[in-house]
Amino acid sequence: MSGVELIFYPFIIALLTAVFFRQNSAVSKFVALALFTYMLLFSINLFSQLPSSGYLDLGTYLSVPKFDFILTLKVDMLSTIMLTLTSVLLLLVALSSWSMKNQALYYSLLIFFSGAIFGVFMSTNLLWFFIFWELTLVPMYFLVGIWGEERRIYAAVKFFLYTHVASMFVLLAFFLIHKEAGTFDMTLVREGMLLSPVLIWWLLFVGFSVKMPLFPFHTWLPDAHVQAPAPISVLLAGVLLKMGAYAMIRMVLLLLPETSQQYAWVLLVLGLITLFYAGFMAIYETHLKKMVAYSSISHMGLVAIAMATLSYSGLSAALYEMIGHAFVIAPLFLLAGFFHHKTGSWEMKDMGGIMQKAPYISAIFVLAGLGALGLPGTMGFVGELSILLSSIKSFGLWMAVVAFGSMLGAAYIIWTLRRVIYGEMSEVVRKTNFSMNIFEFLALAIFALFIILFGVFPNLLFEYINPAFAQFTSLGGAL
Amino acid sequence: MISAFTILFTMALVSLFFHRSFLLKPLSLVALSAAFYVTLGGAVVPLIGFATNEQIKLFELVLEIVLFASILHESEEITITQTLFLGAASVLLLQSNTLVSFILSFEALSIISVVLVSYIKTKNQAQGAVKMFIAGSMATGIVLLGSAFYLMGGGMLLEPLSSKGSEFMNIGVALMLAGLFYKLTIVPFHGWAIDTYALIRHSHAAILSGIAKTVAALAIFKIFAPFLAEHITLSLPLLATLAIITMTLGNFLALFTKNIARILSYSSIAHAGYMLIAFVAVKSTYADEGILYMAIAYIFMQSGAFLALDSLKKEYDIKTLDDLKGFASQNSTLSFFFTIQLLSLAGIPLLAGFLAKAVVFYAGVDAGLWWLVLIALLNSALSVGYYAWIIKSMYFDEGTLKERLVDLHLPQIAQLILAAGTLYFGVFASSVFM
């Protein structure tokens, strides 16, 4: 399958899966697994075809010249990394949803989502980018609304409305870009062509901050992530937030570099507030999944700080942290959901002593937790250290405050571990049987493997990440 | 000379002899297919005062497809006849080129609309029909008064609208627009529409708010756009205000409504506001495509949504959001089609509703009205609130199993046709940009 088929076939496959496998829903799992494996191979294969700099052309389709409404598919190193990350996560999410109810519809929505998200990362026409960007909301709306927890309907509608409103600013900015630069193709737009870059910058910034999310636009996230079923929380945190960060890098920082230089302080300040605010909220939370959600927001604050440096090392660090965050937060969400499923409670006080009942599962939780607080040897450490170093290099020594953010991380993670995994065994845990499906455990084990592998050998990733920002080499040294 | 109009009009007359015959529906469908074929071949209109072009031709094709679907859906013979008459009048209105032909065919369309809703079986339907009749007569009077002023200012009946004359022409055009905006349900001329659309039969509402209104909007744009472009300093502030009020009021009122038919009526008003942006941005070269795209998308999704509601009411007696709870588990096909049309109305991509809004709003940006477009975009985002709420009732809520009153198959084919149109024009925009 070529790039465009990989976007549109999933929509058709999704419809067929929902219609024909309704009675025989186990087949839908294997359809999804096969498709996501193919997507992963496709993305990995792209690395070998990429030119040393610039874009690899994957074709243009559905051309409407007058409106410049052309499906232009081009990938570069940055989008290929995002494609690979997305397909890995989709594959693991498909594995960890093995025992969902109403599987035909569930997996067909996942397949639909995979097509839309590939469109986001592949298309360079702004209007088509926006189309796929919005299209990811529809399957997410249904996935949260149908399979979510108690307050799922509120969370689903809030998520849909909130992010849709934000997207409207983005669409207006794209319209202004087309009016002023005469093209929707982001690879052809230069900042010098624009008459009102400041207005466009702010519209884009607000639109993408909601998705990332940055304080004060983060309020949809705790609801959506907590009410979503655990595998979907992984997709929200691992793919949807990354989509926001990707758009922030590509459309704001790389497309409008001069205005971004001028307003980088906004990104920096919001990033710092997000880091600390979400960190304190995570300490305060006794709801296990909410704690993980706030920890997720806090890490996106770190990503925003790294982006604000607008330097080669900063952006590389941001991209590394985006990947690291996806792998670290995923097992935390999955296990929070698993513990809730088994104990019937979200409150940490009802858990405790799970280590004695389920040592392997708890070990993965501890490992992911340590990754989230940045223990050396895990992905979290490399990400946080490189962000700290690059921000000190760009903004001066006072950026050492970022380290306090990591200390907040240590506080909420260690305290959570003490209350949930260690400590005295609670009554609820004593009565619970923590047996896990082999496929779900496999997904967790792969996540754990990645956390250690890329934590010990970060260069395996940096080898690919660094060339993504080659145009910034003039601005500062490499890691 | 055979044209789509002659075929539809003849069939409408012939259908009067086929009442209570099982042949009526197949014959009408054949006639519509023939009209489609003739339109596709590009039949020339020989009458004075009528002209056609590629864009009008495309819309006529779309119109014939939608008429086909609504006749396929319809089970009442009398409505089929009226739909055919309405189709004939619509073709005339779309092709009219001078003031007199426009007014005459517009009146024809209005009269058939009134006849259509006069099919009264309950007190509610009577209320809706009477409201429409009174408001429609008012509107007609105002349009005629406006045309009188226009002629007094030096305008010509047998020519396209021009602005070479005295100030009276401006007053005349303003009055005519006021009358025409009744039909387009622009606030503050919208009062009748909510009751009428919600109270009459849903399949009639589909024809009235989906087909008749869209045809009127396109025809009004075709006749009035050159005049508005010449008087942009006068028309822009006035129409921009009307557009903002119309879409904002429509959307906010829809948010607080529980009756599904009323929600769709308010959403119809909000869409009239979006269409008005093309009138405001008439200077832009994208305004033509904008209104055409909006008309095409709207005729599919609004008729689709109302026809789906008609099936819901007939088969399960569903009226409010509460009745709809858990419906998806009961009839997944119908709820899927309904969901597609609702998402399209909400402006979700890969459906015609999104591209239509994108082109109209881009025309606004192109004309330098980005603040107006921002308001429209936020309105459109707000509208997701109530469309998503309907979908939420169908898919997320647990409901009681409802008794299926009748089993209908043809409406599902009609829904398939309309959903296919919504999907096609959501992906392949090249057919509209000629």
Side-chain angles (χ1 to χ4, degrees):
Chain A
M1 284 193 262
S2 67
V4 69
E5 288 165 338
L6 217 44
I7 296 173
F8 284 99
Y9 281 180
F11 300 150
I12 300 164
I13 297 174
L15 189 63
L16 296 180
T17 310
V19 173
F20 290 113
F21 297 138
R22 215 184 313 169
Q23 312 302 333
N24 192 4
S25 58
V27 184
S28 59
K29 294 182 211 175
F30 294 100
V31 174
L33 276 185
L35 178 70
F36 298 156
T37 313
Y38 184 84
M39 284 178 152
L40 179 61
L41 295 176
F42 176 85
S43 329
I44 291 174
N45 187 36
L46 278 181
F47 281 111
S48 59
Q49 298 171 22
L50 282 179
S52 54
S53 72
Y55 289 92
L56 171 69
D57 203 337
L58 294 177
T60 51
Y61 306 89
L62 297 171
S63 168
V64 183
K66 179 170 178 196
F67 197 37
D68 201 30
F69 182 59
I70 303 166
L71 179 54
T72 321
L73 299 181
K74 288 181 192 167
V75 289
D76 64 351
M77 194 49 115
L78 177 59
S79 34
T80 314
I81 292 172
M82 298 310 293
L83 286 174
T84 317
L85 173 69
T86 305
S87 22
V88 169
L89 284 173
L90 279 171
L91 197 54
L92 294 177
V93 162
L95 277 180
S96 52
S97 318
W98 210 253
S99 41
M100 277 288 165
K101 59 177 199 289
N102 199 354
Q103 289 182 338
L105 191 56
Y106 180 89
Y107 278 97
S108 66
L109 286 169
L110 266 191
I111 292 170
F112 189 94
F113 178 78
S114 73
I117 194 81
F118 261 58
V120 169
F121 291 132
M122 281 205 264
S123 92
T124 56
N125 183 291
L126 292 175
L127 209 49
W128 273 103
F129 170 88
F130 183 83
I131 285 182
F132 295 125
W133 171 274
E134 281 303 282
L135 211 53
T136 56
L137 290 184
V138 178
M140 278 298 157
Y141 174 66
F142 285 101
L143 284 167
V144 175
I146 299 180
W147 286 271
E149 311 293 344
E150 307 84 35
R151 295 179 66 225
R152 62 187 199 282
I153 293 171
Y154 169 77
V157 175
K158 184 175 180 183
F159 162 71
F160 197 1
L161 258 181
Y162 208 110
T163 48
H164 189 65
V165 169
S167 303
M168 293 300 126
F169 294 104
V170 175
L171 185 59
L172 181 57
F174 288 173
F175 281 166
L176 287 170
I177 288 176
H178 183 261
K179 177 168 165 53
E180 293 170 11
T183 175
F184 271 128
D185 193 336
M186 64 168 105
T187 58
L188 302 178
V189 176
R190 297 285 169 275
E191 195 176 5
M193 300 171 172
L194 302 175
L195 304 172
S196 53
V198 178
L199 175 64
I200 294 174
W201 190 90
W202 277 101
L203 289 170
L204 288 175
F205 179 76
V206 170
F208 295 141
S209 310
V210 171
K211 206 66 149 219
M212 259 187 80
L214 291 178
F215 181 88
F217 306 113
H218 65 283
T219 54
W220 64 271
L221 188 142
D223 285 311
H225 283 215
V226 170
Q227 299 304 325
I232 300 309
S233 308
V234 173
L235 274 194
L236 284 170
V239 179
L240 240 68
L241 303 195
K242 300 305 167 298
M243 202 169 95
Y246 166 84
M248 189 70 99
I249 293 178
R250 171 135 281 169
M251 315 277 163
V252 179
L253 305 183
L254 300 185
L255 207 64
L256 307 167
E258 284 160 35
T259 321
S260 300
Q261 200 80 51
Q262 197 181 340
Y263 290 105
W265 61 271
V266 181
L267 194 56
L268 179 67
V269 169
L270 288 186
L272 281 170
I273 296 176
T274 310
L275 172 66
F276 284 100
Y277 171 80
F280 279 116
M281 288 305 282
I283 293 180
Y284 166 79
E285 270 309 329
T286 58
H287 184 296
L288 180 58
K289 206 171 177 190
K290 258 194 191 151
M291 190 285 291
V292 180
Y294 276 114
S295 140
S296 175
I297 303 179
S298 179
H299 281 90
M300 290 317 280
L302 274 178
V303 173
I305 293 167
M307 282 179 191
T309 65
L310 280 171
S311 67
Y312 178 58
S313 56
L315 286 175
S316 304
L319 188 50
Y320 183 91
E321 175 68 16
M322 278 155 68
I323 300 169
H325 168 255
F327 286 137
V328 163
I329 217 75
L332 290 178
F333 269 126
L334 287 176
L335 285 171
F338 176 71
F339 292 157
H340 167 71
H341 180 63
K342 293 294 177 189
T343 62
S345 164
W346 285 119
E347 292 301 315
M348 296 189 195
K349 65 175 176 0
D350 295 335
M351 302 173 191
I354 295 181
M355 188 56 138
Q356 299 165 40
K357 293 278 287 212
Y360 295 114
I361 294 170
S362 303
I364 292 173
F365 191 85
V366 172
L367 176 71
L370 294 178
L373 70 79
L375 187 81
T378 62
M379 286 192 86
F381 172 72
V382 183
E384 284 177 27
L385 183 71
S386 50
I387 287 173
L388 186 63
L389 290 179
S390 62
S391 56
I392 286 178
K393 200 191 295 173
S394 295
F395 299 112
L397 258 182
W398 68 276
M399 283 309 292
V401 292
V402 171
F404 286 103
S406 304
M407 276 161 68
L408 284 182
Y412 59 74
I413 290 292
I414 291 176
W415 200 24
T416 304
L417 289 182
R418 141 115 188 64
R419 283 181 290 179
V420 175
I421 302 293
Y422 302 106
E424 211 161 298
M425 195 187 287
S426 75
E427 270 310 301
V428 186
V429 172
R430 198 182 304 279
K431 282 184 233 148
T432 315
N433 173 24
F434 288 94
S435 61
M436 188 182 246
N437 184 313
I438 181 74
F439 292 101
E440 292 172 27
F441 189 75
L442 183 69
L444 284 174
I446 295 172
F447 278 122
L449 184 73
F450 279 137
I451 294 173
I452 296 178
L453 179 69
F454 295 129
V456 178
F457 303 108
N459 266 338
L460 290 179
L461 279 183
F462 276 116
E463 204 180 308
Y464 293 100
I465 289 173
N466 283 337
F469 301 107
Q471 65 267 52
F472 276 87
T473 351
S474 51
L475 295 173
L479 240 144
Chain B
M1 183 71 88
I2 293 177
S3 70
F5 168 71
T6 27
I7 293 176
L8 289 177
F9 192 67
T10 318
M11 183 60 218
L13 290 176
V14 169
S15 73
L16 294 172
F17 298 103
F18 280 98
H19 264 273
R20 300 203 181 81
S21 154
F22 68 96
L23 278 175
L24 176 61
K25 203 176 205 176
L27 271 179
S28 314
L29 295 179
V30 168
L32 268 171
S33 314
F36 184 84
Y37 180 74
V38 170
T39 315
L40 200 63
V44 192
V45 188
L47 296 168
I48 299 164
F50 294 89
T52 184
N53 58 29
E54 284 298 306
Q55 279 139 340
I56 294 297
K57 182 181 144 191
L58 173 70
F59 188 74
E60 280 174 30
L61 292 175
V62 167
L63 174 74
E64 277 143 11
I65 295 172
V66 175
L67 286 172
F68 188 92
S70 51
I71 288 184
L72 206 56
H73 173 96
E74 193 52 63
S75 48
E76 306 272 354
E77 288 93 1
I78 187 123
T79 310
I80 294 180
T81 305
Q82 284 155 358
T83 310
L84 288 169
F85 272 120
L86 189 127
S90 302
V91 172
L92 269 193
L93 180 57
L94 285 170
Q95 294 179 344
S96 61
N97 206 24
T98 62
L99 189 61
V100 67
S101 58
F102 174 78
I103 290 182
L104 285 179
S105 37
F106 192 83
E107 288 314 318
L109 187 71
S110 309
I111 290 167
I112 298 165
S113 307
V114 172
V115 175
L116 184 76
V117 298
S118 308
Y119 178 74
I120 295 166
K121 274 191 175 163
T122 67
K123 210 172 168 186
N124 276 344
Q125 288 173 355
Q127 192 191 344
V130 167
K131 276 201 174 164
M132 163 151 183
F133 176 66
I134 294 174
S137 327
M138 276 287 294
T140 307
I142 293 173
V143 171
L144 289 178
L145 180 66
S147 60
F149 270 108
Y150 174 77
L151 294 178
M152 197 166 105
M156 305 293 260
L157 264 184
L158 295 174
E159 275 171 26
L161 221 59
S162 80
S163 54
K164 294 182 206 69
S166 68
E167 281 293 302
F168 273 110
M169 286 179 105
N170 295 349
I171 302 173
V173 170
L175 274 173
M176 275 194 271
L177 279 179
L180 297 171
F181 282 173
Y182 263 100
K183 289 285 164 202
L184 283 195
T185 66
I186 304 287
V187 179
F189 313 109
H190 68 293
W192 62 277
I194 304 141
D195 287 331
T196 305
Y197 292 165
L199 292 177
I200 60 176
R201 275 186 49 206
H202 296 325
S203 59
H204 291 164
I207 293 170
L208 212 58
S209 82
I211 299 174
K213 187 167 146 182
T214 323
V215 169
L218 201 57
I220 294 171
F221 185 85
K222 187 184 158 198
I223 293 286
F224 284 89
F227 187 89
L228 292 176
E230 273 179 48
H231 295 82
I232 196 77
T233 45
L234 278 175
S235 69
L236 194 144
L238 189 67
L239 294 182
T241 318
L242 287 183
I244 292 172
I245 299 175
T246 304
M247 56 200 176
T248 314
L249 197 78
N251 280 322
F252 269 97
L253 291 177
L255 274 178
F256 301 104
T257 311
K258 289 265 178 281
N259 181 310
I260 306 166
R262 271 181 194 273
I263 294 181
L264 289 180
S265 313
Y266 284 123
S267 114
S268 157
I269 291 174
H271 274 82
Y274 305 143
M275 283 182 195
L276 210 51
I277 291 179
F279 286 76
V280 182
V282 69
K283 281 274 190 192
S284 159
T285 49
Y286 292 90
D288 290 1
E289 276 98 358
I291 189 87
L292 178 65
Y293 218 132
M294 199 69 193
I296 290 173
Y298 185 73
I299 197 170
F300 276 120
M301 57 200 186
Q302 184 76 9
S303 334
F306 257 123
L307 289 182
L309 191 60
D310 192 48
S311 302
L312 285 175
K313 189 167 179 216
K314 260 190 220 150
E315 292 184 44
Y316 300 94
D317 197 29
I318 288 174
K319 289 186 198 106
T320 62
L321 287 175
D322 288 337
D323 299 340
L324 204 58
K325 279 185 176 169
F327 180 68
S329 55
Q330 197 160 354
N331 187 340
S332 52
T333 320
L334 192 52
S335 34
F336 176 72
F337 288 133
F338 196 28
T339 305
I340 290 221
Q341 304 298 2
L342 289 173
L343 287 177
S344 177
L345 282 166
I348 297 300
L350 282 197
L351 299 170
F354 168 76
L355 271 186
K357 275 182 193 161
V359 180
V360 170
F361 293 172
Y362 182 72
V365 172
D366 194 45
L369 306 162
W370 68 267
W371 45 272
L372 176 63
V373 172
L374 183 63
I375 297 172
L377 282 169
L378 291 178
N379 256 300
S380 160
L382 182 75
S383 73
V384 168
Y386 51 88
Y387 298 120
W389 206 250
I390 302 180
I391 299 171
K392 167 237 146 200
S393 298
M394 279 195 290
Y395 281 89
F396 303 166
D397 284 328
E398 310 265 325
T400 47
L401 269 157
K402 280 168 267 307
E403 188 194 352
R404 192 166 189 158
L405 306 172
V406 277
D407 211 352
L408 302 168
H409 292 294
L410 284 182
Q412 298 208 342
I413 302 172
Q415 284 296 323
L416 181 69
I417 294 173
L418 294 171
T422 304
L423 274 169
Y424 178 84
F425 285 101
V427 181
F428 302 99
S430 49
S431 45
V432 181
F433 286 89
M434 281 169 272

